[in-house]
Amino acid sequence: AKMADEYDEFDYDDEDLPDPSLKNILEQESLQWIFVGGKGGVGKTTTSCCLGTQLAKHRKKVLIVSTDPAHNLSDAFCQKIGREPTPIQGFTNLSAMEIDATEDLDKMQRSMEDATGAGNDEDGTGIASLMSELTNSIPGIDEAMSFSELMKQVQNMDYDVVVFDTAPTGHTLRLLSFPTILEKAFGKLMDLKDRFGGLIGQASALFGGGSPDQVQEALLGRLEETRAIINKVNTAFQDPALTTFVCVCIPEFLSIYETERLVQELSKFGIDSHNIVVNQVLFPEKDAEELGEWFDSNKDGMQKEAREICSKMMARKRMQDKYIGQCFDLYGDDFHVVLMPLLDHEVRGVEKLKDFSELLINPIDLEE
């Protein structure tokens, strides 16, 4: 039977195309990290929250983390969500948290100052200046360190799956290049250390207390720790059994183009991605041509305003169908492409999220 199944896979019938839903994510119980990403304004947060509510039915403990500086989780769930995991009302096993890179960096700086006693540097020496020197000379190091803090925190908790509601595309991809960024940071620090010997340390000690090597060691120690965590995390992220990336888009040119870029980048970083969610689709179950025929045969009997409204909707539907067609041409064979309808209301609050999330798992039947 297994052999027959294998041969069947080569017949490209509609039956063999990936199921147009996110059921595969619920069924893959080994998954620990699920990233949800795409261009700004395509519904990433709604998709993350819906995915979280569905996972909560199947897993013991689920965490949704927003790494987007414009935090929207609080808006989506209609409750205050903070920097610590906050239980979501109406669930026993779903929590959410919102993180902020700059605040994390300040906190890290304070903890290093306390550890080395080099905190009272009114005149810009010591740890604060060393940290700002580092963040200015290596773009992205602040996010990398903040991300490693987050991963450390999450690994100490017993969540069995974490959904990341990521920042718009560019940021997300930066997150994957952290190991490279950290290698640069190390190189730079070692270079400084060799060039100036104990000078950095002596200056900090002179102005801010703490022994010469202590300040340097603290910074190097923290970077070493960050690097170890991020290397470990990256190995996990490149394992398709543990990590997957859900691309979210809307049926418009820019969004489809951005998705293609995202898919290419993910494969370059070796990160598994086999799901695409297309949001804001007008009548996913109807075809533009059928609607067009209906409109042509009925428009003469319509009032002028009704005719204008319908014709605008028809133009939009035709445009969307064109891009949805392109999306299926590009990804239909390898990706689960899920079409989510444009609703008459916003998806806010647990009940609406729960209802909408059902469509991720049991999509509208396009064949009917």
Side-chain angles (χ1 to χ4, degrees), residues 67-246:
T67 57
D68 186 342
H71 294 307
N72 304 322
L73 290 183
S74 304
D75 301 330
F77 283 115
C78 297
Q79 73 174 79
K80 180 82 189 94
I81 288 167
R83 296 173 47 77
E84 295 300 318
T86 311
I88 298 298
Q89 288 153 10
F91 291 89
T92 52
N93 61 341
L94 178 64
S95 302
M97 65 190 280
E98 299 181 331
I99 62 159
D100 181 355
T102 41
E103 218 170 297
D104 279 342
L105 210 64
D106 293 344
K107 205 162 82 183
M108 198 185 303
Q109 192 170 303
R110 283 197 297 276
S111 75
M112 280 167 61
E113 285 171 357
D114 295 344
T116 56
N120 346 317
D121 49 353
E122 304 299 312
D123 51 356
T125 50
I127 294 251
S129 54
L130 212 58
M131 288 289 269
S132 71
E133 164 71 22
L134 198 63
T135 47
N136 291 337
S137 56
I138 304 150
I141 184 77
D142 53 343
E143 288 174 63
M145 292 178 94
S146 143
F147 183 68
S148 95
E149 283 294 293
L150 164 75
M151 295 315 280
K152 200 163 71 179
Q153 213 177 335
V154 169
Q155 282 170 347
N156 293 338
M157 302 171 191
D158 52 346
Y159 290 98
D160 47 355
V161 62
V162 180
V163 179
F164 287 97
D165 173 31
T166 65
T169 322
H171 286 271
T172 310
L173 298 174
R174 281 258 292 282
L175 195 131
L176 307 175
S177 55
F178 284 162
T180 339
I181 291 177
L182 283 165
E183 289 301 325
K184 275 193 200 154
F186 259 93
K188 183 149 185 73
L189 258 181
M190 287 311 186
D191 184 36
L192 282 174
K193 194 174 179 183
D194 296 341
R195 264 213 321 246
F196 301 116
L199 238 164
I200 308 173
Q202 280 168 9
S204 330
L206 200 65
F207 296 109
S211 72
D213 291 331
Q214 230 180 344
V215 174
Q216 250 178 345
E217 290 313 314
L219 195 52
L220 281 172
R222 182 51 72 105
L223 272 178
E224 182 55 76
E225 188 187 342
T226 303
R227 185 166 70 160
I229 293 170
I230 286 197
N231 283 342
K232 181 176 156 199
V233 161
N234 247 50
T235 315
F237 285 176
Q238 288 170 345
D239 180 348
L242 300 177
T243 305
T244 191
F245 199 109
V246 178

Side-chain angles (χ1 to χ4, degrees), residues 14 285 364-368:
D14 262 8
E285 73 288 2
I364 292 165
D365 192 348
L366 304 180
E367 301 302 317
E368 281 180 2

Side-chain angles (χ1 to χ4, degrees), residues 301-312:
M302 288 180 179
Q303 287 183 353
K304 181 170 177 284
E305 274 191 1
R307 197 162 58 237
E308 281 175 2
I309 290 167
C310 283
S311 103
K312 184 162 284 253

